[in-house]
Amino acid sequence: MNSVILSARDVDFLLHEWLDTDALFERPTFAKHSRETVDAVLELAQAVATEKFAPHARSNDLHEPTFDGTTVSLIPEVGVALKAFADAGFLTAGVPEDRGGGGLPTSIISACLAWFHAANTATSGYALLSMAAANLIRTHGSDAQRTLFAEPLADGRFTGTMALSEPGAGSNLSDLLTRAIPQEDGTHRLFGRKMWISGGDHELADNIVHLVLARTPDAAPGTKGISIFIVPKYLVAEDGSLGERNDIVLAGINHKMGSRGTVNTAPVLGDGAHTPGGAPGAVGHLVGEVGQGLPIMFSMMNEARLGVGIAGTAVGYTGYLKSLAYARERLQGRLLGAPPAGPQVALVEHPDVRRMLLAQKSFVEGALALMLYCSRLLDDAVSLDGRAAEEALALVGLLTPIAKSFPAQWCLEANTLAIQVMGGAGYTRDHDVEQHYRDNRLNAIHEGTHGIQGLDLLGRKVLLDRGRALGLLVARITQTAERATAAGGSGEGYAAKLLAMTARLRDVTTTVAGAGGGAEVLAEATAYLEGSGHLVVAWLWLEQWLAAHGKEGDFYDGKRAATAYFFSRELPKVGLWLDTVAAHDGLTTTLDPTVL
């Protein structure tokens, strides 16, 4: 029976028929793995997600975390699921072998994580934050920090958070005020308030490792004066045993419209609620060097941005599958021209319902291709040498803003369409799709809004190294178009449309670069992000079309239909977005705010 959580068949197609994952196992980095081991891991992910995560997804939403002023309480199924996740080895499956992990390719880990997010994105959030925190400490921490904090994170005894935002400093971290005062023993005492911290307190683990951004007394203003500290909920002794409670407590928890099962908190550091060592102040351990907080945090943040893309993709995907199953079963109305007394037909028989289902399919399967492609680039970066590895890193850097934002925007649109397909039923809590919409809505804000991703892409990424990464992307798009042209048939038409729009992107980017990136240009960064994202996904749909070319069956016919939809209905939108960027008419920069 096909799952309505995620399509194992699609995952298999993308990994093996398109991305040729087997080729990775011929490289020394991944030589210990094989198609058989990978398939076993994917099957395990599907099983754990289906049996331990999916059953409490609705309960997670209806019975969100509570805070009594001292303790955060969650439904018990969350802890059971996270233990199953850890016991199955997923916390370290993607960690390199020389760091104590399983050494699986990132593309395989991403496919596994898609199963968990699709099954229950709120519970998955705790595990993903812990994985990212452990990776940051492994990469930038000292040997002692790796032993005392990364290892317990890796085995599930501790969980992790990213404590960045503050009540007065959300996206603009240069304004954060949390202070870190050096101590004689080499630690720091932290004082300040944080806001919107997912997983910031609970009883799911023995300890919580907060990665906190703060300023030392003589820190430079702006982002250059920010450092990063490990602030545990309970102090950890040199032998790994837990000590007294640290001076970090909650002012309260935030109540969100979706992903309610992931507790979201407002922590306070150093108000004297606890006095570790007999003094107020949250004890923190500096990671790396003073003033290197943001560069270090971005190693975790970029991982988190790809994680948000996977989450958005997965939640959109499961909504699509559930609305498709409903549309195939629900009898409603008759086809145009049918006799009034004739039998009703399934929703899927109506052309407009098919349009909405095909749109969802094009968004979610295109987004999954995007996420796995970015993951494969990370695999190439660690398993190839020299120029090939450098090119892979440059491309994934360019694509990260798109990979974060396209799923957050367009898989959310898929969730909207899923509700519409199901009509009144979709709007009720009797079905999952309304929750999926609410759960997915946060991903447009998580780890940087669309506007921030657009500024990153247009203001930095496409102009880095004289546009080298964009040139690499264009070269790959051109190669795909050449293959599609050679394949003939509809591939030739798709190639022509893709090349024309790619040329338009290059022209507009050149214009933007010549304008020097002024306020009027950057005001249209979101339009540039949207246009670039749709162009990239169109390219990846043509890649999927080529992987399906000459193959028969409903699955491959579905890939061809989705490609046709995206090229005829979605790719033309790119031109409109790029026109907006090229015009940079100053509408929003010159607008008097009083008229709003």
Side-chain angles (χ1 to χ4, degrees):
M1 183 177 178
N2 291 331
S3 174
V4 292
I5 297 175
L6 197 67
S7 169
R9 177 68 184 90
D10 194 26
V11 171
D12 182 84
F13 168 80
L14 294 172
L15 289 175
H16 299 299
E17 296 183 60
W18 172 43
L19 291 174
D20 188 22
T21 299
D22 288 4
L24 289 175
F25 310 140
E26 299 173 5
R27 303 174 187 174
T29 305
F30 302 115
K32 69 169 285 186
H33 300 294
S34 65
R35 172 71 178 266
E36 289 72 25
T37 59
V38 163
D39 288 348
V41 170
L42 289 168
E43 289 174 7
L44 179 60
Q46 179 178 357
V48 176
T50 302
E51 297 167 11
K52 300 297 183 180
F53 281 67
H56 71 277
R58 173 60 75 182
S59 181
N60 227 9
D61 183 68
L62 297 177
H63 306 287
E64 59 184 303
T66 59
F67 179 54
D68 63 6
T70 302
T71 303
V72 172
S73 299
L74 294 85
I75 60 172
E77 293 89 340
V78 176
V80 173
L82 292 175
K83 185 177 186 305
F85 187 95
D87 289 347
F90 287 110
L91 285 171
T92 56
V95 176
E97 293 176 67
D98 59 4
R99 294 187 179 181
L104 278 167
T106 299
S107 51
I108 304 304
I109 299 302
S110 295
C112 291
L113 295 181
W115 275 105
F116 292 104
H117 278 295
N120 189 329
T121 193
T123 293
S124 299
Y126 298 101
L128 274 295
L129 282 167
S130 297
M131 293 166 70
N135 286 342
L136 183 146
I137 295 169
R138 285 191 202 98
T139 303
H140 301 284
S142 66
D143 289 341
Q145 289 170 349
R146 294 186 190 101
T147 300
L148 297 177
F149 300 107
E151 289 182 9
L153 283 165
D155 63 25
R157 289 187 290 118
F158 294 2
T159 61
T161 78
M162 296 170 62
L164 284 69
S165 299
E166 298 181 1
S171 299
N172 187 14
L173 293 173
S174 63
D175 290 327
L176 67 81
L177 300 175
T178 298
R179 297 173 296 123
I181 310 301
Q183 306 295 301
E184 292 183 0
D185 64 358
T187 65
H188 288 69
R189 291 282 178 144
L190 277 72
F191 302 85
R193 290 176 176 267
K194 293 294 180 178
M195 178 58 83
W196 313 119
I197 309 306
S198 296
D201 201 6
H202 51 71
E203 303 299 316
L204 294 171
D206 296 340
N207 206 355
I208 301 174
V209 177
H210 302 281
L211 293 174
V212 182
L213 293 183
R215 296 182 184 280
T216 53
D218 298 325
T223 58
K224 293 182 179 180
I226 297 173
S227 302
I228 185 168
F229 300 86
I230 295 170
V231 180
K233 179 178 178 179
Y234 294 96
L235 301 188
V236 181
E238 291 183 1
D239 63 359
S241 61
L242 298 186
E244 58 187 315
R245 178 71 186 266
N246 207 354
D247 193 10
I248 177 170
V249 296
L250 298 188
I253 62 175
N254 303 303
H255 300 280
K256 303 168 295 178
M257 68 179 283
S259 202
R260 293 173 174 174
T262 308
V263 64
N264 190 272
T265 65
V268 179
L269 299 95
D271 75 341
H274 301 279
T275 54
V283 176
H285 308 272
L286 177 68
V287 180
E289 302 294 329
V290 170
Q292 291 299 304
L294 273 193
I296 291 173
M297 181 60 83
F298 264 104
S299 71
M300 182 178 179
M301 191 177 295
N302 285 331
E303 178 181 350
R305 285 176 173 174
L306 292 176
V308 169
I310 293 169
T313 297
V315 176
Y317 208 127
T318 191
Y320 159 62
L321 292 177
K322 289 171 182 175
S323 68
L324 175 60
Y326 184 90
R328 285 173 169 166
E329 297 174 359
R330 169 67 170 169
L331 299 179
Q332 187 68 228
R334 295 160 185 84
L335 296 179
L336 188 65
Q344 295 192 78
V345 297
L347 282 172
V348 75
E349 297 294 333
H350 296 287
D352 196 55
V353 173
R354 292 180 181 179
R355 173 191 64 81
M356 292 187 285
L357 291 167
L358 192 54
Q360 289 184 69
K361 181 181 179 72
S362 76
F363 296 147
V364 303
E365 292 185 12
L368 185 58
L370 172 62
M371 301 316 304
L372 294 183
Y373 184 79
C374 288
S375 300
R376 175 55 183 266
L377 288 173
L378 291 174
D379 292 333
D380 289 343
V382 299
S383 63
L384 297 176
D385 297 317
R387 182 175 178 180
E390 292 173 0
E391 289 185 358
L393 278 177
L395 274 170
V396 77
L398 177 71
L399 292 175
T400 293
I402 295 170
K404 187 274 175 185
S405 288
F406 181 90
Q409 182 85 342
W410 294 97
C411 292
L412 180 68
E413 175 63 16
N415 290 130
T416 300
L417 292 170
I419 294 173
Q420 192 72 14
V421 165
M422 295 176 64
Y427 193 66
T428 70
R429 291 192 179 184
D430 296 325
H431 298 274
D432 294 340
V433 293
E434 66 84 26
Q435 180 184 337
H436 293 323
Y437 176 88
R438 290 186 289 105
D439 286 348
N440 219 354
R441 183 60 186 83
L442 184 58
N443 287 320
I445 300 172
H446 257 155
E447 308 309 329
T449 63
H450 291 322
I452 288 173
Q453 304 304 324
L455 289 171
D456 183 36
L457 181 64
L458 183 59
R460 291 184 61 248
K461 297 294 179 61
V462 298
L463 303 179
L464 279 176
D465 198 12
R466 304 179 71 177
R468 176 172 178 260
L470 182 62
L472 294 172
L473 176 64
V474 169
R476 295 200 179 196
I477 291 174
T478 302
Q479 291 169 3
T480 301
E482 290 172 350
R483 290 165 49 218
T485 299
S490 54
E492 190 171 357
Y494 295 148
K497 291 179 180 179
L498 186 63
L499 287 174
M501 206 61 78
T502 302
R504 177 68 176 142
L505 176 69
R506 292 200 70 170
D507 290 345
V508 169
T509 305
T510 300
T511 299
V512 168
E520 289 185 356
V521 172
L522 292 180
E524 309 302 342
T526 299
Y528 187 90
L529 175 70
E530 294 279 23
S532 301
H534 259 54
L535 179 66
V536 166
V537 174
W539 163 50
L540 297 180
W541 266 116
L542 189 53
E543 280 281 318
Q544 292 186 73
W545 182 90
L546 284 165
H549 187 58
K551 300 176 182 178
E552 298 180 355
D554 291 343
F555 177 84
Y556 299 110
D557 289 342
K559 288 294 182 185
R560 285 184 276 270
T563 305
Y565 177 88
F566 206 88
F567 271 81
S568 65
R569 306 294 202 276
E570 298 298 325
L571 183 60
K573 296 177 183 177
V574 175
L576 298 176
W577 281 312
L578 293 180
D579 287 346
T580 300
V581 178
H584 51 85
D585 57 14
L587 175 63
T588 55
T589 54
T590 60
L591 183 69
D592 184 345
T594 62
V595 308
L596 297 174

